[in-house]
Amino acid sequence: MRAIVVSEIHREWTLTQVADPRPGPGQVLIRVRYSGMCGTDVHLHRGQFPAKLPIVAGHEPTGEIVELGPGVTDLKVGDRVGVVWDQKGCGRCNSCQSGEPCPHSQTWMDLGGGNSELMLAWASGCALIPDGLALEAAAPMFCAGYTVMSALRNANPKPGERVAVLGVGGLGHLAVQVAHALGLETFAITGQANKRAELLALGADDVVVAADDPGKALLDAGGADIVLSTTSSAKQIGSIFHGLRRRGRLVNTGVADGPVSIDSFAAMLAFCEFRGAVPDHRGHLTEVLELAAKGKVKPKLEIYALERANDVRDRLEAGKVRYRAVLAHA
Ligand SMILES: [Zn+2]
Ligand SMILES: [Zn+2]
């Protein structure tokens, strides 16, 4: 099969022929159709992500199951699936025993990712894609969509609350749609005024354009109960904290470019919280896939052939991918 192999950091990835994998007990083999590109892929390229090389990246894969390993009974050949990051815990640690994510979980780094024609996955890491949801639209749900749904659910939104999304790119444009679909008043905060009409069309009730001090701009617009931050700018994350209303929650999903400075006195007086979120409960993935299947969450995609993985990564690194890039397998 053909696979995009990452052999060294800061080097071009290579399209290579490698042996077809065969599924072991509890595993499945997937013919990958689409594979989303995420910020993690850039971090991997820069050596900022602790993965052992060489490796096949791609943690937003969707496709069809072509072979079942021994003992797999729930999935069938032909099932349309995607694969989550944490595929299978060790089953023995305290986290596994209490149903929490396992620190020793099997991931794409163990079995290989979706930037290959065939991909091995643990059956427990596969999620069925609802009928009617295209595989390319489903791909970004497996990291970006899942992350924003977990971020929002972990902030415990209440009816009537306002959610502000800071950083409206790959994750943020899904966050705006998810918050709107859940019936929450939704603000989008962006540094680019030319995104206003698009963000309103995505379902934002209002768009706050602010480059330098998004916290002040949000406060001037009435503040928010929940801020869902997807930016990597530590300065912006520190600023947006000031845009929270009383008992507000700032949920961070971006890898910040430095330490984040929070005004602890303001946090104390207003009972505000700073939290982080990554893909959490599997029900959050199911929920965002359902919203996508109903057309309430529509990822805006740039689709490229697998051969263009290097160009796509460069575009992502340069901030040229407007929302989400997905690699298509022939
Ligand atoms: Zn990701
Ligand atoms: Zn475990």
Short mmCIF file of all heavy atoms in Angstrom, two decimals, residues 145-213:
data_model
loop_
_atom_site.label_atom_id
_atom_site.label_comp_id
_atom_site.label_asym_id
_atom_site.label_seq_id
_atom_site.Cartn_x
_atom_site.Cartn_y
_atom_site.Cartn_z
N GLY A 145 -13.95 18.22 15.73
CA GLY A 145 -15.33 18.26 16.21
C GLY A 145 -15.49 17.65 17.59
O GLY A 145 -16.19 18.18 18.45
N TYR A 146 -14.80 16.53 17.79
CA TYR A 146 -14.84 15.82 19.08
C TYR A 146 -14.27 16.74 20.18
O TYR A 146 -14.85 16.87 21.27
CB TYR A 146 -13.99 14.56 18.91
CG TYR A 146 -14.06 13.49 19.98
CD1 TYR A 146 -13.40 12.27 19.77
CD2 TYR A 146 -14.75 13.66 21.17
CE1 TYR A 146 -13.43 11.26 20.72
CE2 TYR A 146 -14.78 12.65 22.13
CZ TYR A 146 -14.11 11.46 21.89
OH TYR A 146 -14.13 10.46 22.82
N THR A 147 -13.17 17.42 19.89
CA THR A 147 -12.54 18.30 20.87
C THR A 147 -13.47 19.43 21.27
O THR A 147 -13.64 19.70 22.47
CB THR A 147 -11.24 18.90 20.29
OG1 THR A 147 -10.34 17.84 19.97
CG2 THR A 147 -10.57 19.84 21.29
N VAL A 148 -14.11 20.09 20.28
CA VAL A 148 -14.96 21.23 20.65
C VAL A 148 -16.21 20.77 21.39
O VAL A 148 -16.68 21.45 22.30
CB VAL A 148 -15.30 22.14 19.45
CG1 VAL A 148 -14.03 22.72 18.84
CG2 VAL A 148 -16.14 21.47 18.42
N MET A 149 -16.74 19.60 21.03
CA MET A 149 -17.91 19.10 21.76
C MET A 149 -17.53 18.77 23.20
O MET A 149 -18.26 19.10 24.15
CB MET A 149 -18.52 17.89 21.05
CG MET A 149 -19.79 17.39 21.69
SD MET A 149 -21.12 18.62 21.79
CE MET A 149 -21.98 18.30 20.25
N SER A 150 -16.38 18.12 23.39
CA SER A 150 -15.93 17.82 24.76
C SER A 150 -15.66 19.10 25.54
O SER A 150 -15.98 19.19 26.74
CB SER A 150 -14.67 16.95 24.74
OG SER A 150 -14.98 15.62 24.38
N ALA A 151 -15.09 20.10 24.88
CA ALA A 151 -14.79 21.37 25.55
C ALA A 151 -16.09 22.02 26.02
O ALA A 151 -16.20 22.47 27.17
CB ALA A 151 -14.05 22.30 24.60
N LEU A 152 -17.07 22.03 25.13
CA LEU A 152 -18.34 22.68 25.48
C LEU A 152 -19.08 21.90 26.56
O LEU A 152 -19.58 22.47 27.54
CB LEU A 152 -19.19 22.81 24.22
CG LEU A 152 -20.35 23.80 24.27
CD1 LEU A 152 -19.87 25.18 24.68
CD2 LEU A 152 -21.01 23.87 22.90
N ARG A 153 -19.15 20.59 26.43
CA ARG A 153 -19.85 19.77 27.43
C ARG A 153 -19.19 19.88 28.80
O ARG A 153 -19.87 19.90 29.83
CB ARG A 153 -19.90 18.30 26.97
CG ARG A 153 -20.95 18.04 25.89
CD ARG A 153 -22.32 18.35 26.41
NE ARG A 153 -23.39 18.16 25.43
CZ ARG A 153 -24.53 18.86 25.44
NH1 ARG A 153 -24.73 19.81 26.33
NH2 ARG A 153 -25.46 18.61 24.56
N ASN A 154 -17.85 19.95 28.80
CA ASN A 154 -17.15 20.06 30.09
C ASN A 154 -17.31 21.42 30.73
O ASN A 154 -16.99 21.59 31.91
CB ASN A 154 -15.67 19.70 29.91
CG ASN A 154 -15.46 18.20 30.01
OD1 ASN A 154 -15.69 17.60 31.05
ND2 ASN A 154 -15.06 17.58 28.91
N ALA A 155 -17.80 22.40 29.99
CA ALA A 155 -18.08 23.72 30.56
C ALA A 155 -19.51 23.79 31.11
O ALA A 155 -19.92 24.83 31.63
CB ALA A 155 -17.87 24.81 29.51
N ASN A 156 -20.26 22.70 31.02
CA ASN A 156 -21.63 22.62 31.54
C ASN A 156 -22.50 23.81 31.13
O ASN A 156 -22.97 24.56 31.99
CB ASN A 156 -21.62 22.52 33.07
CG ASN A 156 -20.94 21.27 33.54
OD1 ASN A 156 -21.15 20.20 32.98
ND2 ASN A 156 -20.08 21.39 34.55
N PRO A 157 -22.71 24.01 29.83
CA PRO A 157 -23.52 25.16 29.41
C PRO A 157 -24.96 25.03 29.90
O PRO A 157 -25.53 23.93 29.90
CB PRO A 157 -23.46 25.10 27.88
CG PRO A 157 -23.12 23.69 27.55
CD PRO A 157 -22.29 23.17 28.70
N LYS A 158 -25.52 26.16 30.34
CA LYS A 158 -26.91 26.18 30.82
C LYS A 158 -27.75 26.96 29.84
O LYS A 158 -27.24 27.87 29.16
CB LYS A 158 -26.97 26.82 32.21
CG LYS A 158 -26.20 26.06 33.28
CD LYS A 158 -26.23 26.81 34.60
CE LYS A 158 -25.21 26.26 35.57
NZ LYS A 158 -23.81 26.56 35.19
N PRO A 159 -29.05 26.63 29.77
CA PRO A 159 -29.92 27.36 28.84
C PRO A 159 -29.82 28.87 29.09
O PRO A 159 -29.78 29.30 30.24
CB PRO A 159 -31.33 26.85 29.19
CG PRO A 159 -31.11 25.51 29.79
CD PRO A 159 -29.79 25.59 30.51
N GLY A 160 -29.74 29.62 28.01
CA GLY A 160 -29.68 31.08 28.13
C GLY A 160 -28.28 31.63 28.25
O GLY A 160 -28.08 32.84 28.23
N GLU A 161 -27.30 30.75 28.40
CA GLU A 161 -25.93 31.25 28.52
C GLU A 161 -25.37 31.63 27.15
O GLU A 161 -25.82 31.14 26.11
CB GLU A 161 -25.03 30.20 29.19
CG GLU A 161 -25.27 30.12 30.69
CD GLU A 161 -24.18 29.41 31.45
OE1 GLU A 161 -23.62 28.41 30.92
OE2 GLU A 161 -23.89 29.82 32.58
N ARG A 162 -24.35 32.49 27.20
CA ARG A 162 -23.69 32.92 25.98
C ARG A 162 -22.31 32.28 25.87
O ARG A 162 -21.54 32.29 26.82
CB ARG A 162 -23.54 34.45 25.95
CG ARG A 162 -22.84 34.94 24.69
CD ARG A 162 -22.55 36.42 24.76
NE ARG A 162 -23.77 37.22 24.66
CZ ARG A 162 -23.80 38.54 24.88
NH1 ARG A 162 -22.70 39.17 25.23
NH2 ARG A 162 -24.94 39.20 24.76
N VAL A 163 -22.05 31.74 24.69
CA VAL A 163 -20.75 31.13 24.40
C VAL A 163 -20.01 32.03 23.41
O VAL A 163 -20.60 32.47 22.42
CB VAL A 163 -20.92 29.74 23.76
CG1 VAL A 163 -19.56 29.14 23.37
CG2 VAL A 163 -21.65 28.79 24.71
N ALA A 164 -18.76 32.32 23.69
CA ALA A 164 -17.94 33.05 22.72
C ALA A 164 -16.82 32.13 22.26
O ALA A 164 -16.19 31.45 23.08
CB ALA A 164 -17.37 34.31 23.34
N VAL A 165 -16.60 32.08 20.97
CA VAL A 165 -15.55 31.24 20.40
C VAL A 165 -14.42 32.16 19.95
O VAL A 165 -14.63 33.06 19.13
CB VAL A 165 -16.09 30.42 19.21
CG1 VAL A 165 -14.97 29.60 18.57
CG2 VAL A 165 -17.22 29.49 19.68
N LEU A 166 -13.24 31.93 20.52
CA LEU A 166 -12.07 32.74 20.15
C LEU A 166 -11.17 31.93 19.22
O LEU A 166 -10.72 30.85 19.58
CB LEU A 166 -11.28 33.13 21.41
CG LEU A 166 -9.96 33.86 21.16
CD1 LEU A 166 -10.19 35.24 20.55
CD2 LEU A 166 -9.15 33.99 22.46
N GLY A 167 -10.92 32.47 18.03
CA GLY A 167 -10.09 31.75 17.06
C GLY A 167 -10.99 30.88 16.20
O GLY A 167 -11.39 29.79 16.62
N VAL A 168 -11.37 31.39 15.05
CA VAL A 168 -12.37 30.67 14.25
C VAL A 168 -11.72 30.04 13.02
O VAL A 168 -11.88 30.51 11.91
CB VAL A 168 -13.54 31.59 13.86
CG1 VAL A 168 -14.71 30.74 13.39
CG2 VAL A 168 -13.99 32.40 15.05
N GLY A 169 -10.95 28.98 13.27
CA GLY A 169 -10.32 28.22 12.20
C GLY A 169 -10.87 26.80 12.18
O GLY A 169 -12.09 26.61 12.28
N GLY A 170 -9.98 25.82 12.09
CA GLY A 170 -10.38 24.41 11.99
C GLY A 170 -11.30 23.97 13.12
O GLY A 170 -12.35 23.37 12.89
N LEU A 171 -10.92 24.27 14.36
CA LEU A 171 -11.76 23.89 15.50
C LEU A 171 -12.88 24.92 15.71
O LEU A 171 -14.03 24.57 15.94
CB LEU A 171 -10.93 23.79 16.79
CG LEU A 171 -10.33 22.42 17.11
CD1 LEU A 171 -9.21 22.07 16.15
CD2 LEU A 171 -9.83 22.36 18.54
N GLY A 172 -12.50 26.20 15.64
CA GLY A 172 -13.42 27.26 16.00
C GLY A 172 -14.66 27.32 15.12
O GLY A 172 -15.76 27.58 15.62
N HIS A 173 -14.51 27.06 13.81
CA HIS A 173 -15.69 27.16 12.95
C HIS A 173 -16.68 26.03 13.25
O HIS A 173 -17.88 26.19 13.05
CB HIS A 173 -15.30 27.23 11.47
CG HIS A 173 -15.17 25.93 10.76
ND1 HIS A 173 -14.17 25.03 11.01
CD2 HIS A 173 -15.94 25.37 9.78
CE1 HIS A 173 -14.32 23.98 10.22
NE2 HIS A 173 -15.38 24.14 9.46
N LEU A 174 -16.16 24.93 13.79
CA LEU A 174 -17.06 23.86 14.24
C LEU A 174 -17.67 24.23 15.59
O LEU A 174 -18.86 23.97 15.84
CB LEU A 174 -16.31 22.53 14.34
CG LEU A 174 -15.72 22.00 13.03
CD1 LEU A 174 -14.92 20.73 13.27
CD2 LEU A 174 -16.82 21.74 12.00
N ALA A 175 -16.88 24.87 16.45
CA ALA A 175 -17.37 25.26 17.77
C ALA A 175 -18.55 26.23 17.65
O ALA A 175 -19.54 26.11 18.39
CB ALA A 175 -16.24 25.89 18.58
N VAL A 176 -18.46 27.18 16.71
CA VAL A 176 -19.56 28.13 16.50
C VAL A 176 -20.82 27.37 16.13
O VAL A 176 -21.91 27.61 16.68
CB VAL A 176 -19.19 29.15 15.39
CG1 VAL A 176 -20.41 29.94 14.94
CG2 VAL A 176 -18.09 30.09 15.89
N GLN A 177 -20.69 26.40 15.23
CA GLN A 177 -21.87 25.66 14.77
C GLN A 177 -22.43 24.76 15.87
O GLN A 177 -23.65 24.62 16.00
CB GLN A 177 -21.50 24.82 13.55
CG GLN A 177 -21.07 25.66 12.35
CD GLN A 177 -20.72 24.79 11.16
OE1 GLN A 177 -21.57 24.14 10.57
NE2 GLN A 177 -19.44 24.77 10.80
N VAL A 178 -21.53 24.14 16.65
CA VAL A 178 -21.98 23.25 17.73
C VAL A 178 -22.74 24.06 18.78
O VAL A 178 -23.85 23.68 19.20
CB VAL A 178 -20.78 22.51 18.36
CG1 VAL A 178 -21.16 21.89 19.69
CG2 VAL A 178 -20.24 21.44 17.41
N ALA A 179 -22.17 25.20 19.20
CA ALA A 179 -22.82 26.01 20.24
C ALA A 179 -24.18 26.50 19.74
O ALA A 179 -25.17 26.47 20.49
CB ALA A 179 -21.92 27.19 20.61
N HIS A 180 -24.23 26.92 18.49
CA HIS A 180 -25.50 27.39 17.91
C HIS A 180 -26.51 26.23 17.85
O HIS A 180 -27.69 26.41 18.19
CB HIS A 180 -25.24 27.96 16.51
CG HIS A 180 -26.47 28.34 15.77
ND1 HIS A 180 -27.20 29.47 16.09
CD2 HIS A 180 -27.12 27.75 14.74
CE1 HIS A 180 -28.25 29.54 15.28
NE2 HIS A 180 -28.22 28.51 14.46
N ALA A 181 -26.03 25.06 17.44
CA ALA A 181 -26.93 23.90 17.31
C ALA A 181 -27.50 23.48 18.67
O ALA A 181 -28.61 22.95 18.74
CB ALA A 181 -26.19 22.72 16.67
N LEU A 182 -26.75 23.74 19.74
CA LEU A 182 -27.24 23.40 21.09
C LEU A 182 -28.15 24.48 21.65
O LEU A 182 -28.58 24.41 22.80
CB LEU A 182 -26.06 23.14 22.04
CG LEU A 182 -25.15 21.96 21.69
CD1 LEU A 182 -24.10 21.76 22.77
CD2 LEU A 182 -25.94 20.67 21.47
N GLY A 183 -28.42 25.51 20.85
CA GLY A 183 -29.38 26.53 21.26
C GLY A 183 -28.79 27.62 22.14
O GLY A 183 -29.53 28.36 22.79
N LEU A 184 -27.47 27.70 22.18
CA LEU A 184 -26.83 28.72 23.02
C LEU A 184 -26.56 29.98 22.19
O LEU A 184 -26.27 29.89 21.00
CB LEU A 184 -25.50 28.17 23.55
CG LEU A 184 -25.66 26.95 24.45
CD1 LEU A 184 -24.39 26.12 24.46
CD2 LEU A 184 -26.03 27.39 25.87
N GLU A 185 -26.69 31.11 22.84
CA GLU A 185 -26.32 32.34 22.14
C GLU A 185 -24.82 32.27 21.85
O GLU A 185 -24.03 31.97 22.75
CB GLU A 185 -26.63 33.56 23.02
CG GLU A 185 -26.45 34.86 22.26
CD GLU A 185 -26.56 36.11 23.14
OE1 GLU A 185 -26.56 35.97 24.38
OE2 GLU A 185 -26.64 37.19 22.57
N THR A 186 -24.45 32.50 20.61
CA THR A 186 -23.07 32.23 20.20
C THR A 186 -22.43 33.46 19.57
O THR A 186 -22.96 34.01 18.61
CB THR A 186 -23.07 31.07 19.18
OG1 THR A 186 -23.73 29.94 19.76
CG2 THR A 186 -21.65 30.67 18.81
N PHE A 187 -21.28 33.86 20.14
CA PHE A 187 -20.49 34.94 19.57
C PHE A 187 -19.22 34.34 18.97
O PHE A 187 -18.65 33.41 19.55
CB PHE A 187 -20.08 35.96 20.65
CG PHE A 187 -21.14 36.97 20.99
CD1 PHE A 187 -22.48 36.74 20.70
CD2 PHE A 187 -20.79 38.16 21.61
CE1 PHE A 187 -23.45 37.68 21.01
CE2 PHE A 187 -21.76 39.11 21.93
CZ PHE A 187 -23.09 38.88 21.64
N ALA A 188 -18.80 34.87 17.86
CA ALA A 188 -17.51 34.48 17.29
C ALA A 188 -16.57 35.66 17.42
O ALA A 188 -16.96 36.80 17.15
CB ALA A 188 -17.68 34.10 15.82
N ILE A 189 -15.35 35.40 17.88
CA ILE A 189 -14.36 36.47 18.02
C ILE A 189 -13.23 36.19 17.04
O ILE A 189 -12.63 35.11 17.07
CB ILE A 189 -13.78 36.52 19.44
CG1 ILE A 189 -14.92 36.58 20.47
CG2 ILE A 189 -12.85 37.71 19.61
CD1 ILE A 189 -14.46 36.39 21.88
N THR A 190 -12.97 37.13 16.18
CA THR A 190 -11.96 36.93 15.16
C THR A 190 -11.14 38.19 14.98
O THR A 190 -11.63 39.30 15.25
CB THR A 190 -12.61 36.51 13.82
OG1 THR A 190 -11.58 36.37 12.83
CG2 THR A 190 -13.63 37.53 13.34
N GLY A 191 -9.91 38.02 14.52
CA GLY A 191 -9.08 39.18 14.22
C GLY A 191 -9.28 39.64 12.79
O GLY A 191 -8.77 40.69 12.39
N GLN A 192 -10.00 38.85 12.00
CA GLN A 192 -10.16 39.15 10.58
C GLN A 192 -11.58 39.62 10.27
O GLN A 192 -12.51 38.81 10.25
CB GLN A 192 -9.84 37.91 9.74
CG GLN A 192 -8.38 37.49 9.86
CD GLN A 192 -8.18 36.07 9.38
OE1 GLN A 192 -8.16 35.12 10.16
NE2 GLN A 192 -8.04 35.92 8.07
N ALA A 193 -11.71 40.91 10.01
CA ALA A 193 -13.03 41.49 9.76
C ALA A 193 -13.70 40.86 8.53
O ALA A 193 -14.93 40.78 8.46
CB ALA A 193 -12.90 43.00 9.56
N ASN A 194 -12.89 40.36 7.60
CA ASN A 194 -13.47 39.79 6.37
C ASN A 194 -14.14 38.44 6.61
O ASN A 194 -14.69 37.84 5.68
CB ASN A 194 -12.41 39.69 5.26
CG ASN A 194 -11.28 38.74 5.61
OD1 ASN A 194 -11.19 38.27 6.76
ND2 ASN A 194 -10.43 38.44 4.66
N LYS A 195 -14.06 37.93 7.84
CA LYS A 195 -14.74 36.65 8.14
C LYS A 195 -16.17 36.87 8.66
O LYS A 195 -16.91 35.92 8.86
CB LYS A 195 -13.95 35.85 9.19
CG LYS A 195 -12.78 35.05 8.64
CD LYS A 195 -12.24 34.07 9.68
CE LYS A 195 -11.12 33.21 9.11
NZ LYS A 195 -10.59 32.26 10.11
N ARG A 196 -16.53 38.14 8.91
CA ARG A 196 -17.79 38.43 9.59
C ARG A 196 -19.00 37.74 8.93
O ARG A 196 -19.75 37.01 9.59
CB ARG A 196 -18.03 39.94 9.65
CG ARG A 196 -19.35 40.33 10.29
CD ARG A 196 -19.58 41.83 10.22
NE ARG A 196 -18.72 42.56 11.13
CZ ARG A 196 -19.01 42.78 12.42
NH1 ARG A 196 -20.13 42.31 12.93
NH2 ARG A 196 -18.20 43.45 13.19
N ALA A 197 -19.18 37.96 7.62
CA ALA A 197 -20.37 37.43 6.95
C ALA A 197 -20.40 35.90 7.02
O ALA A 197 -21.44 35.29 7.27
CB ALA A 197 -20.40 37.90 5.50
N GLU A 198 -19.20 35.30 6.83
CA GLU A 198 -19.13 33.83 6.88
C GLU A 198 -19.50 33.30 8.26
O GLU A 198 -20.16 32.27 8.40
CB GLU A 198 -17.70 33.40 6.56
CG GLU A 198 -17.54 32.87 5.15
CD GLU A 198 -16.08 32.53 4.85
OE1 GLU A 198 -15.49 31.73 5.59
OE2 GLU A 198 -15.57 33.08 3.88
N LEU A 199 -19.04 34.00 9.30
CA LEU A 199 -19.29 33.54 10.67
C LEU A 199 -20.77 33.70 11.04
O LEU A 199 -21.33 32.85 11.73
CB LEU A 199 -18.39 34.28 11.66
CG LEU A 199 -16.90 34.04 11.42
CD1 LEU A 199 -16.04 34.86 12.35
CD2 LEU A 199 -16.57 32.56 11.59
N LEU A 200 -21.39 34.76 10.55
CA LEU A 200 -22.84 34.91 10.77
C LEU A 200 -23.58 33.79 10.06
O LEU A 200 -24.52 33.20 10.60
CB LEU A 200 -23.31 36.28 10.28
CG LEU A 200 -22.81 37.49 11.09
CD1 LEU A 200 -23.18 38.79 10.39
CD2 LEU A 200 -23.37 37.48 12.52
N ALA A 201 -23.11 33.45 8.85
CA ALA A 201 -23.74 32.37 8.07
C ALA A 201 -23.57 31.02 8.76
O ALA A 201 -24.42 30.13 8.62
CB ALA A 201 -23.17 32.34 6.66
N LEU A 202 -22.49 30.86 9.53
CA LEU A 202 -22.26 29.60 10.26
C LEU A 202 -23.21 29.46 11.45
O LEU A 202 -23.33 28.38 12.02
CB LEU A 202 -20.83 29.53 10.78
CG LEU A 202 -19.72 29.22 9.78
CD1 LEU A 202 -18.37 29.28 10.48
CD2 LEU A 202 -19.92 27.84 9.16
N GLY A 203 -23.80 30.57 11.87
CA GLY A 203 -24.73 30.49 13.00
C GLY A 203 -24.36 31.39 14.16
O GLY A 203 -25.04 31.37 15.19
N ALA A 204 -23.30 32.18 14.01
CA ALA A 204 -22.96 33.11 15.09
C ALA A 204 -24.06 34.16 15.20
O ALA A 204 -24.53 34.67 14.18
CB ALA A 204 -21.61 33.77 14.81
N ASP A 205 -24.46 34.48 16.44
CA ASP A 205 -25.44 35.54 16.64
C ASP A 205 -24.80 36.90 16.49
O ASP A 205 -25.46 37.87 16.11
CB ASP A 205 -26.07 35.42 18.04
CG ASP A 205 -26.88 34.15 18.17
OD1 ASP A 205 -27.94 34.08 17.56
OD2 ASP A 205 -26.42 33.20 18.84
N ASP A 206 -23.52 36.99 16.79
CA ASP A 206 -22.78 38.23 16.58
C ASP A 206 -21.31 37.89 16.39
O ASP A 206 -20.85 36.82 16.81
CB ASP A 206 -22.97 39.18 17.77
CG ASP A 206 -22.72 40.64 17.38
OD1 ASP A 206 -22.30 40.90 16.22
OD2 ASP A 206 -22.94 41.51 18.22
N VAL A 207 -20.60 38.81 15.74
CA VAL A 207 -19.18 38.62 15.50
C VAL A 207 -18.44 39.80 16.12
O VAL A 207 -18.78 40.95 15.86
CB VAL A 207 -18.88 38.54 13.98
CG1 VAL A 207 -17.38 38.44 13.72
CG2 VAL A 207 -19.62 37.35 13.36
N VAL A 208 -17.45 39.49 16.97
CA VAL A 208 -16.64 40.53 17.59
C VAL A 208 -15.29 40.51 16.88
O VAL A 208 -14.60 39.50 16.89
CB VAL A 208 -16.45 40.25 19.11
CG1 VAL A 208 -15.55 41.29 19.74
CG2 VAL A 208 -17.81 40.17 19.81
N VAL A 209 -14.97 41.62 16.23
CA VAL A 209 -13.67 41.70 15.55
C VAL A 209 -12.69 42.40 16.48
O VAL A 209 -12.91 43.54 16.88
CB VAL A 209 -13.80 42.47 14.21
CG1 VAL A 209 -12.43 42.55 13.51
CG2 VAL A 209 -14.80 41.76 13.30
N ALA A 210 -11.66 41.69 16.87
CA ALA A 210 -10.69 42.23 17.83
C ALA A 210 -9.36 41.53 17.63
O ALA A 210 -9.29 40.31 17.73
CB ALA A 210 -11.18 42.01 19.25
N ALA A 211 -8.33 42.27 17.37
CA ALA A 211 -7.03 41.66 17.16
C ALA A 211 -6.20 41.66 18.44
O ALA A 211 -5.71 40.64 18.88
CB ALA A 211 -6.30 42.38 16.04
N ASP A 212 -6.07 42.83 19.08
CA ASP A 212 -5.09 42.97 20.15
C ASP A 212 -5.62 42.58 21.53
O ASP A 212 -4.94 41.94 22.30
CB ASP A 212 -4.61 44.43 20.21
CG ASP A 212 -3.80 44.78 18.97
OD1 ASP A 212 -3.32 43.83 18.32
OD2 ASP A 212 -3.68 45.98 18.66
N ASP A 213 -6.84 42.99 21.83
CA ASP A 213 -7.36 42.76 23.18
C ASP A 213 -8.77 42.17 23.09
O ASP A 213 -9.76 42.86 23.34
CB ASP A 213 -7.35 44.08 23.96
CG ASP A 213 -7.58 43.85 25.46
OD1 ASP A 213 -7.91 42.71 25.85
OD2 ASP A 213 -7.43 44.82 26.23
#
